[in-house]
Amino acid sequence: AAKLTDILSAITENRSTPAAEIGAARQRIADSDAEVGAFLRLAPDESLDEAASSEGPLAGITVGVKDIYDTRDMATEHGSPIYRGHRPVADASLVSMARLAGAAIIGKTTTTEFASLDPTPTRNPRNLDHTPGGSSSGSAAAVAAGMVPLAFGSQTGGSVIRPASFCGVAGFKPSFRLFPTIGMKTFSYTLDTAGLFAATAQDLALAARLITGRDFGTGSLADGSGLRIGLYRSAVDGEVAAEMQAAVEEAARLLEGSGATLVTVEEPAALTAARSCHAAVQGFEAVMALSDEFRRHREKLGPDLGAVLDHGATIEPAEYDEARRTARIGRKAASALFETVDVLIAPSALGPAPLGLASTGDALMNKLWTLTGNPVVNVPGLAASTGLPLGVSVIARFGRDALALDVARLLQAMIAAPE
Ligand SMILES: NC(=O)CC(=O)O
């Protein structure tokens, strides 16, 4: 796999150059994207030539960008025929910040329509008969296939953490609004969260720091001593496959074995209620976000999105306002959970990637934390008996993204360590 930290080390130590790394990524995409279908289009040569001569801290790092982020040098179609050929004048903020740091925005990755539910043709590199998940399908698949070391996604329900889990890569859904969503097509403006995919949690932390200038942890946790880990028991755990539950418990044992204190945290009623109000918040806001497309091009919308908007259009403002109140109470309950533990661990999905491409899976394990805005990191490395990946979520207090990434780095290292 193309690992961001290794590429940057190779360039720093003069064992490689940005131009060589960009050329190698183009070759990897040419070699493997025909069967995976992660990319929609690649950047023009002049963009990549410009990036090849960059001296920024991310020089040589090629990035796949979900096609709901505006790019000034490539079409941006949001997975919809309504936007075919649409060409923004300017980059989305996060894309511009990555370019300023020297990254090479190498291509646009597939997205479900408007980042909702109607699937893409992209396949799971771990097993091509299975979905890579969604809505950030191409970004997760591109990193899992080792085509690029970094990819941008977004999450409104579970669209970063779930595909990261299905594809066996590290995924980062930051605290709400930590990354800008300016220039990213809006689906639900109190839920939409920009996120990242990479091979490891260490790569995620480094990329996030170099793009935003913020601290995302030092990776200095040698073991779990001093950590208080909460094994989260939700009201919907009955939906979780036994193998996924076992994977989370394996992760808990690893952390406990390295010195962490492990407690079980039962879901408070306020968070069960918050999870249940996600659909009303999302549906009501999506009808506003896509009002023009919904009213003027209803026949061009996919069946799943059409159903979400048809239902959303029946939600009264008072119902939406009640859902927002429930969400706010949920955020307070989430904050209280972190008085007793440093991080929670929980399943990143209901199980391994479903067979076939008809569905991108279920966001049931993710949408609560999208609504509350807590940072979540998917830790890859564990697998089902079929070999399909099973991801473990590390969830921290709002704003403690660095801690979530540090614990994720420790856990990923322990999972990868030989017995
Ligand atoms: N955008 C989203 O998060 C929807 C999903 O979870 O598939």
Side-chain angles (χ1 to χ4, degrees), residues 26-378:
R26 295 176 81 158
Q27 189 57 54
R28 294 192 300 263
I29 292 168
D31 292 345
S32 53
D33 204 37
E35 62 178 11
V36 173
F39 282 91
L40 293 161
R41 62 194 73 87
L42 296 183
D45 287 350
E46 55 267 26
S47 295
L48 297 179
D49 293 347
E50 184 181 339
S53 60
S54 164
E55 294 177 355
L58 277 176
I61 296 302
T62 49
V63 186
V65 173
K66 184 177 183 178
D67 201 29
I68 57 166
Y69 285 82
D70 283 350
T71 42
R72 57 179 164 73
D73 58 351
M74 287 178 272
T76 303
E77 300 183 347
H78 309 321
S80 168
I82 301 168
Y83 282 84
R84 191 164 316 294
H86 168 63
R87 181 64 161 292
V89 169
D91 286 334
S93 299
L94 204 64
V95 172
S96 178
M97 289 159 70
R99 279 200 220 268
L100 286 171
I105 309 300
I106 197 167
K108 302 304 283 290
T109 55
T110 64
T111 175
T112 62
E113 190 179 34
F114 296 112
S116 183
L117 298 172
D118 297 277
T120 74
T122 306
R123 293 146 48 112
N124 190 320
R126 307 292 181 195
N127 181 325
L128 296 174
D129 295 333
H130 291 252
T131 176
S135 62
S136 311
S137 309
S139 287
V143 171
M147 298 183 212
V148 290
L150 184 65
F152 289 179
S154 72
Q155 180 157 316
T156 306
S159 290
V160 169
I161 298 301
R162 183 171 82 255
S165 180
F166 285 172
C167 291
V169 295
F172 178 30
K173 185 209 73 71
S175 295
F176 184 61
R177 288 233 191 287
L178 190 65
F179 288 3
T181 57
I182 298 134
M184 189 178 97
K185 180 68 174 164
T186 300
F187 189 74
S188 174
Y189 61 144
T190 67
L191 294 170
D192 293 350
T193 305
L196 303 179
F197 296 91
T200 68
Q202 177 186 17
D203 290 348
L204 290 173
L206 183 51
R209 176 165 66 82
L210 296 178
I211 290 171
T212 66
R214 289 177 175 278
D215 164 43
F216 282 96
T218 57
S220 58
L221 288 178
D223 55 36
S225 53
L227 278 179
R228 301 169 301 166
I229 307 286
L231 183 56
Y232 192 67
R233 294 287 187 216
S234 84
V236 293
D237 276 5
E239 304 290 322
V240 178
E243 284 193 303
M244 173 60 90
Q245 202 57 51
V248 175
E249 284 160 9
E250 164 70 13
R253 271 194 301 278
L254 285 169
L255 287 165
E256 190 176 34
S258 77
T261 304
L262 182 68
V263 295
T264 298
V265 173
E266 299 294 337
E267 180 166 275
L271 285 181
T272 304
R275 181 186 296 106
S276 302
C277 82
H278 175 278
V281 173
Q282 179 179 256
F284 187 89
E285 292 182 356
V287 168
M288 292 191 289
L290 297 173
S291 179
D292 190 20
E293 297 89 340
F294 182 40
R295 302 304 194 242
R296 291 193 306 125
H297 301 290
R298 176 70 182 77
E299 76 292 348
K300 291 184 179 175
L301 301 178
D304 294 347
L305 175 59
V308 166
L309 296 177
D310 287 342
H311 174 68
T314 67
I315 297 172
E316 292 299 324
E319 182 186 350
Y320 168 67
D321 295 347
E322 180 57 28
R324 294 290 307 280
R325 267 191 294 278
T326 304
R328 198 161 41 247
I329 292 164
R331 287 187 195 102
K332 289 194 178 65
S335 181
L337 285 186
F338 291 98
E339 298 304 320
T340 59
V341 295
D342 295 306
V343 296
L344 298 169
I345 58 172
S348 289
L350 293 179
L355 181 65
L357 303 184
S359 162
T360 63
D362 189 323
L364 192 58
M365 288 289 110
N366 319 116
K367 57 191 176 185
L368 170 62
W369 309 115
T370 315
L371 183 88
T372 57
N374 290 73
V376 184
V377 182
N378 177 68

